[in-house]
Every structure is written in structure tokens, then in C-alpha cells.
Amino acid sequence: MLYLLDTANVKDIRRICDVYPIDGVTTNPTLISKEKTDFKELLMKIKDVLGLGKMIHVQTLGENSEDIVNEGEALNRFLGENAYAKIPVTPQGIKAIQILSQKGIKTTATAVFTPQQALIAARAGADFVAPYVNRLDNIVGDGVEIVSEIVREFKIYNLKTKVVAASFKNLEQIHKASQAGTHAVTVAPELFEKLLQHPLTDSSIKKFEEDWETIYGKDKLISDLI
Ligand code: G3P
């Protein structure tokens, strides 16, 4: 499963990418606006911090296919082949996905809430579809079940489009999405860092350190002893 960060915050991206196997970043207009900075410079910084070969998904704003295609082409020119134009699943968005896909420009269908939206986007040639788990849960839907249905559908029809499950607010949703076979998750930095935390991990490490210290001394590493 691919791990992406759902953020445009360069500091957070740098801190997490320094440690974790991160495959890329997804942004949306809300996340970009939060940074209150020059858009072009921000994209360049994100690209630099991520390094070679990592994905950058950037959402388009156009309402008609022509504008969306222009945005997708601009992203591709500016960021290169790992840029994904993140396109809302409106009729004009679907048209743009088809055009960009024929031009070899990568796309992610976003704001996906139903399996049929995902299926149509996949048929249009989207590389990824992004179902929003928590926003569905918030209206008493079942976000993970939708992810699971989309994954199943793509398998049944042998579609190469991948699912990047998005909009998570807790670890249980991420766990269940991974159990449902999502190809990727995109997670906000603060939530992502919680994935590794466990009190039993901390207490186990503490006990190992205490036992080791009684014989070999404090802060002695294997490399100090052999
Ligand atoms: O990338 C889409 C996703 O960011 C939406 O997430 O947390 O705003 O529901 P959220």
C-alpha cells in the first residue's frame, strides 16, 4: 500500500519524509490556501523536499474541461511526469480526464463518494480515484465500505486505476481501508505520525533498555561493544 501525505505544509512533509517511506503528497485548494504563500514557489518546495520519483497530486480549479486540461498541462510542464492533476468528478472533469489521459498526463479523480463515480473516472482513464472516507462517515455513510466496493469493482473489471483513499480522521478508518485493499492512503501529517505509536511499544523498549543497562551500562550500543 502506498502512503501519501495529505498536506501542503513543507515543514511537515520534510519532517515525515526524513523518516518514513512516503510515496508522495496530495493537496487540495483548502490545504494550499492554508499555507498563505506563493503557489508556484510552494509547489517547487514540495517537489524538492519530496525528491525524485515521488508523486504530487494537485487539484484543478477550472469548471470546464478546457480550463481543467490547461491546468493539467501546466502542472505537467512545471512539475514533470510525477504530477497528477487532481480533478473533481463532475461531467466536465470526466471529459478533462479523458483528454489528459490521451495526452499521457496523469490524473486523480477526486471528491469521489460513490462506486459509480469511481468506475466512470476509471473508464475515462484516471490513474487514481480518491474516495473521501470521513466525509462519508460524517453523514452516516460507510466510507470504508465504499472504498472496499471500488477496490472490488476495479478488480472485477480488471481496471488499472488505483484507489487512494482520502479524508481520514482516525486510525481505525486507515486500518479498515488497508484491510479493504486500497492501493494507497493519503493521510494528514498529525494523523500519519500516530500510525506508529503504541504504548506497549514504548513500555517494551523501556524494559529492554533497563535490562541491558544492568549488565552493559547506560547508553552502550552494540557498536560500542564489538
Ligand atoms: O484530499 C482530499 C481530502 O483532503 C479531503 O479530506 O480531511 O478535508 O475531509 P478532509
Side-chain angles (χ1 to χ4, degrees):
M1 187 179 74
L2 304 172
Y3 285 109
L4 291 98
L5 293 175
D6 199 25
T7 184
N9 186 280
V10 175
K11 235 172 106 184
D12 286 345
I13 297 169
R14 182 178 288 115
R15 185 182 70 257
I16 296 176
C17 286
D18 182 48
V19 174
Y20 294 92
I22 297 297
D23 299 286
V25 155
T26 57
T27 68
N28 62 37
T30 306
L31 294 170
I32 298 267
S33 307
K34 268 190 199 162
E35 300 309 308
K36 298 186 177 65
T37 187
D38 182 80
F39 177 63
K40 199 170 162 185
E41 278 176 24
L42 181 63
L43 287 187
M44 206 25 86
K45 276 189 197 156
I46 293 175
K47 185 182 174 182
D48 283 351
V49 168
L50 278 172
L52 276 182
K54 303 294 169 83
M55 299 183 274
I56 309 183
H57 300 240
V58 184
Q59 193 161 324
T60 58
L61 280 309
E63 285 179 13
N64 61 65
S65 60
E66 205 184 333
D67 286 345
I68 301 171
V69 168
N70 285 338
E71 290 180 288
E73 288 179 327
L75 284 169
N76 180 267
R77 271 195 306 276
F78 186 61
L79 294 171
E81 59 169 7
N82 291 316
Y84 289 73
K86 208 169 161 228
I87 302 172
V89 282
T90 60
Q92 289 296 307
I94 293 297
K95 183 174 174 183
I97 289 172
Q98 291 196 74
I99 297 169
L100 287 169
S101 143
Q102 277 156 18
K103 289 173 182 264
I105 293 175
K106 292 170 178 153
T107 60
T108 296
T110 196
V112 168
F113 292 95
T114 73
Q116 279 304 312
Q117 290 176 324
L119 194 52
I120 290 171
R123 287 292 321 283
D127 294 277
F128 283 92
V129 296
Y132 288 9
V133 173
N134 192 66
R135 291 194 192 195
L136 275 165
D137 290 355
N138 276 348
I139 54 157
V140 205
D142 187 340
V144 169
E145 183 53 27
I146 295 298
V147 170
S148 166
E149 287 175 6
I150 297 171
V151 168
R152 208 176 314 140
E153 208 167 61
F154 286 2
K155 267 194 201 133
I156 292 171
Y157 295 110
N158 205 19
L159 293 161
K160 64 175 177 37
T161 307
K162 293 189 166 80
V163 178
V164 54
S167 175
F168 292 107
K169 285 295 164 287
N170 61 60
L171 300 186
E172 180 70 358
Q173 291 166 334
I174 300 170
H175 166 63
K176 286 193 170 152
S178 63
Q179 289 296 304
T182 190
H183 307 93
V185 289
T186 185
V187 184
E190 58 279 9
L191 191 58
F192 183 87
E193 286 176 309
K194 288 194 179 131
L195 284 170
L196 209 58
Q197 293 168 5
H198 200 285
L200 284 177
T201 303
D202 297 342
S203 60
S204 301
I205 293 169
K206 195 166 177 292
K207 178 76 171 91
F208 291 141
E209 281 171 357
E210 284 165 6
D211 290 346
W212 177 264
E213 246 179 71
T214 59
I215 304 300
Y216 297 105
K218 196 169 161 47
D219 296 332
K220 278 278 183 251
L221 303 176
I222 288 175
S223 48
D224 297 323
L225 304 177
I226 56 175

